[in-house]
Amino acid sequence: MKKIYLSLATLLLLTGCINDKPKQKLDGEELLTQKCASCHNLDMPPKNYDNEIAPSLMAVTFHLKDLITSSNPSEHKSKIISFVQDYVVNPTAEKSICDKASLDSYGLMPSQKGKVTDDEVEAMVEYMYEYYDNKKLLEQLAEERRLKNMPPHERVMEQKGCLTCHGMEKDKVVAPSFKMISDKYEKKDREMLIQSIKDGTKGKWENRKLPMPSFKKISDKDVEGVVDWILR
């Protein structure tokens, strides 16, 4: 009898452990890409509005944050999650937070009943709430303006991390400075330098053991701009 009780206790303990397993954390960004990107633009800010069939998720999120109010950030997010969980499976014009012009333009979203779970909606809204942030948007726009106003070669070198290995004037152990490259090469070497950046290179500088990686994804215009600046 003791063995039976012991077996039952063990079974209950194991069952309890299994049931107490923490829920798997869902990836809100990935879910948005899988379930929403076919209709909604996910960029912040949207890069274009071509063939738009639903408002961008940035606009949706900002609208939700404005119209569903709470002084407590945690409660605010929870209220938005609850609203979206209900709305996506039972959308109606009365529930919609869109103005009449938007509803006339986009129409009412189709019900997602059976296509998305409450847990998935929660993960997506959690991501939207944190990612689509007005302060982040303003900072991003300011950074884009800063990069746009930079000389093209400086923008490319900053974005691609060129200065991590190359100094402007002073030599670095990893790679020669841009001044050294400029002093060594002439305008007749332009095409060779362009290909060296695109394909990578090794062995052109004494005591430089690390090869330069290829940068095939940089546009021809950007590579040519950097080389022309070096050879100026």
Side-chain angles (χ1 to χ4, degrees):
M1 184 65 74
K2 286 183 178 180
K3 288 183 178 180
I4 294 174
Y5 286 144
L6 184 59
S7 298
L8 286 171
T10 303
L11 181 61
L12 289 170
L13 181 61
L14 289 173
T15 305
C17 289
I18 292 170
N19 290 337
D20 288 341
K21 276 187 176 180
K23 287 195 302 185
Q24 182 183 1
K25 186 171 176 60
L26 298 172
D27 187 325
E29 182 179 13
E30 184 178 330
L31 285 167
L32 285 172
T33 302
Q34 293 172 355
K35 297 179 179 290
C36 305
S38 59
C39 296
H40 297 276
N41 189 314
L42 307 187
D43 296 329
M44 183 178 78
K47 293 180 174 62
N48 64 69
Y49 295 89
D50 297 341
N51 304 315
E52 191 175 51
I53 60 174
S56 71
L57 280 190
M58 183 187 79
V60 170
T61 305
F62 286 173
H63 217 43
L64 286 167
K65 287 181 176 181
D66 284 342
L67 297 181
I68 298 176
T69 59
S70 174
S71 58
N72 183 302
S74 179
E75 182 183 279
H76 188 217
K77 188 193 297 184
S78 295
K79 287 173 72 173
I80 292 175
I81 289 170
S82 296
F83 171 83
V84 178
Q85 284 173 329
D86 173 62
Y87 185 79
V88 296
V89 295
N90 298 299
T92 66
E94 291 72 28
K95 290 180 188 175
S96 175
I97 59 170
C98 292
D99 54 40
K100 185 177 184 304
S102 296
L103 280 175
D104 290 343
S105 175
Y106 298 117
L108 195 65
M109 75 170 287
S111 171
Q112 301 302 301
K113 190 172 184 178
K115 298 178 182 178
V116 65
T117 67
D118 278 352
D119 286 344
E120 288 174 334
V121 173
E122 181 177 357
M124 288 188 281
V125 177
E126 286 267 5
Y127 175 81
M128 290 163 58
Y129 194 92
E130 299 302 327
Y131 179 70
Y132 298 110
D133 177 79
N134 193 52
K135 183 179 178 182
K136 288 180 183 177
L137 173 62
L138 294 175
E139 289 173 351
Q140 184 174 320
L141 291 174
E143 176 65 6
E144 288 176 1
R145 283 195 298 272
R146 184 185 73 83
L147 291 172
K148 186 177 180 180
N149 291 330
M150 290 174 73
H153 68 276
E154 288 186 18
R155 172 180 51 78
V156 175
M157 289 194 295
E158 180 172 322
Q159 290 179 321
K160 301 304 177 183
C162 301
L163 297 178
T164 303
C165 298
H166 298 277
M168 295 297 284
E169 298 282 338
K170 293 184 178 180
D171 183 23
K172 288 189 176 183
V173 175
V174 180
S177 69
F178 286 114
K179 184 179 185 307
M180 292 172 67
I181 299 171
S182 177
D183 290 343
K184 180 175 180 177
Y185 295 107
E186 300 176 3
K187 292 191 183 296
K188 64 182 177 63
D189 301 309
R190 183 176 185 270
E191 290 304 315
M192 179 273 294
L193 289 173
I194 288 172
Q195 287 307 125
S196 293
I197 293 174
K198 289 182 176 180
D199 299 335
T201 183
K202 182 180 180 181
K204 291 186 177 178
W205 292 84
E206 190 177 352
N207 298 324
R208 313 283 174 172
K209 295 182 179 180
L210 290 177
M212 175 176 164
S214 64
F215 289 88
K216 294 184 183 295
K217 292 185 179 180
I218 303 180
S219 71
D220 290 347
K221 182 180 178 181
D222 284 343
V223 174
E224 290 166 6
V226 170
V227 171
D228 288 340
W229 171 77
I230 292 171
L231 298 175
R232 69 196 185 285

